[in-house]
Amino acid sequence: MFVSMAANASNDIVYVADDYNLTLWGTSNYTGKVKSLPTGTPLTIIAEHPTSNGLIKVKTIEGTEGFVKTKYIKNEAPEHDRDDIAAKNIA
């Protein structure tokens, strides 16, 4: 089950979806790659609504802010096979 952004207010916790290592972008136009987020990474939503191109502003538990694709985050932490994570990268 992927996140319904209409149901999430800012400061909700979401997780990088199972099967993906997700790029955290520095801007809302897919520039300035900040880091790669592994499956299950908890993120705090810090924007009320996603951008027109499907990104939402989030913050990691370390305090790093950036943008991720909304279709690759979930409300619940996924169960995953760690041996298979490295082969699954999404920009």
Side-chain angles (χ1 to χ4, degrees):
M1 179 176 145
F2 289 98
V3 172
S4 167
M5 297 317 298
N8 279 318
S10 60
N11 297 318
D12 282 353
I13 302 295
V14 294
Y15 301 88
V16 174
D18 193 18
D19 298 331
Y20 301 105
N21 286 333
L22 187 61
T23 298
L24 179 67
W25 297 102
T27 68
S28 62
N29 60 358
Y30 297 102
T31 60
K33 180 178 177 177
V34 176
K35 66 195 291 185
S36 182
L37 303 170
T39 299
T41 300
L43 302 167
T44 302
I45 296 175
I46 57 175
E48 197 65 35
H49 302 286
T51 63
S52 60
N53 58 356
L55 295 174
I56 191 84
K57 191 166 187 180
V58 297
K59 181 169 52 172
T60 67
I61 58 173
E62 297 86 15
T64 304
E65 293 184 10
F67 295 83
V68 296
K69 292 180 184 179
T70 58
K71 67 181 184 177
Y72 298 119
I73 56 177
K74 298 172 61 165
N75 288 320
E76 296 179 13
E79 295 181 20
H80 58 275
D81 180 357
R82 292 195 180 273
D83 294 335
D84 202 27
I85 292 173
K88 299 173 181 176
N89 292 305
I90 297 294

